[in-house]
Amino acid sequence: MAQDQWTAVDRYIVETLLPPDEALEAALKSSEAAGLPAINVAPNQGRMLQILARSIGAAKILEIGTLGGYSTIWLARALPAGGRLVTLEYDPKHAEVARGNIARAGYADQVDIRVGRAIDSLPHLEREGPFDLVFIDADKPSNPDYFAWALKLARVGSLIVVDNVVRGGAVAEAGGSDPNVAGVRRMNAMIAAEPRVIATAVQTVGSKGYDGFAMALVVA
């Protein structure tokens, strides 16, 4: 199957199962206009995040990597009344675009955007946890650190979801020089050795190419 076919199938899924959404479409357009990279999750992946968050009744969500706020909006839509989402973004420009997108979608009061290096922000969240769901979608070399903090900020029953863990299949190649792949592999080794979680990863193809998600459920 070629990329064109993967994209066509994603388009079919979105057109069939996801009704038109002005807030999300506006978020994508404003992000593009601001020159943000088009590395946000696909719409069907955003819906998957929403479903995962709702399925565990997540009332407190942490997102590491905001970009333009597209996945943030999907996750915020899973929150119950009084729920809260903290999202960490390194780039002030990205955070500003995200702030506008999130406000337009109606979630300004439930979403707190923290600007700066995530690794510096995470220690300050210890008094605000535990978080019911953590979504990691930031710089891949830091994935091991992000996972360690996600586990520290979680509770039994929390779900940790990590994007971009297949890297076009390169994750299966040991000893490569790509720091993004190395970060994913180090994180996977950590997860495998961690008795407090049960975990898996799934490969995905679609409009975003060939990649995948890892999911770890905290059980102890």
Side-chain angles (χ1 to χ4, degrees):
M1 292 178 67
Q3 179 63 52
D4 288 348
Q5 190 169 7
W6 298 345
T7 300
V9 172
D10 260 12
R11 186 180 305 114
Y12 162 76
I13 291 170
V14 171
E15 291 175 352
T16 303
L17 300 178
L18 282 70
D21 193 304
E22 290 185 8
L24 289 167
E25 291 169 5
L28 292 177
K29 289 178 181 177
S30 67
S31 296
E32 182 181 10
L36 273 61
I39 55 175
N40 48 274
V41 298
N44 49 332
Q45 295 170 342
R47 175 73 90 187
M48 183 192 75
L49 293 173
Q50 181 189 23
I51 290 171
L52 288 172
R54 286 196 63 173
S55 69
I56 63 169
K60 193 179 290 186
I61 296 173
L62 171 62
E63 179 182 49
I64 303 175
T66 315
L67 194 61
Y70 184 77
S71 56
T72 317
I73 295 169
W74 276 114
L75 288 166
R77 288 180 171 179
L79 290 170
R84 181 165 169 265
L85 190 157
V86 176
T87 182
L88 310 180
E89 174 52 48
Y90 172 75
D91 191 311
K93 177 184 176 181
H94 295 180
E96 182 178 354
V97 173
R99 194 170 284 112
N101 289 334
I102 291 163
R104 187 187 304 110
Y107 295 102
D109 292 338
Q110 287 181 283
V111 175
D112 183 3
I113 302 175
R114 310 277 176 92
V115 181
R117 292 201 322 154
I119 204 65
D120 296 330
S121 299
L122 286 164
H124 299 288
L125 293 175
E126 287 192 86
R127 61 182 178 272
E128 301 180 46
F131 291 89
D132 306 308
L133 185 145
V134 181
F135 178 48
I136 301 172
D137 190 11
D139 61 300
K140 311 313 170 188
S142 298
N143 270 355
D145 295 324
Y146 296 151
F147 179 79
W149 272 107
L151 191 57
K152 187 177 294 189
L153 295 169
R155 56 166 178 80
V156 173
S158 292
L159 181 64
I160 301 169
V161 182
V162 189
D163 195 11
N164 306 127
V165 299
V166 172
R167 315 298 306 174
V171 72
E173 301 168 7
S177 60
D178 186 336
N180 296 308
V181 175
V184 173
R185 287 180 62 93
R186 287 197 305 272
M187 181 193 69
N188 286 339
M190 287 178 61
I191 294 173
E194 177 52 67
R196 290 172 290 175
V197 303
I198 57 173
T200 190
V202 293
Q203 302 179 72
T204 60
V205 295
S207 58
K208 297 298 177 179
Y210 174 30
D211 217 314
F213 288 89
M215 291 170 280
L217 181 68
V218 182
V219 296

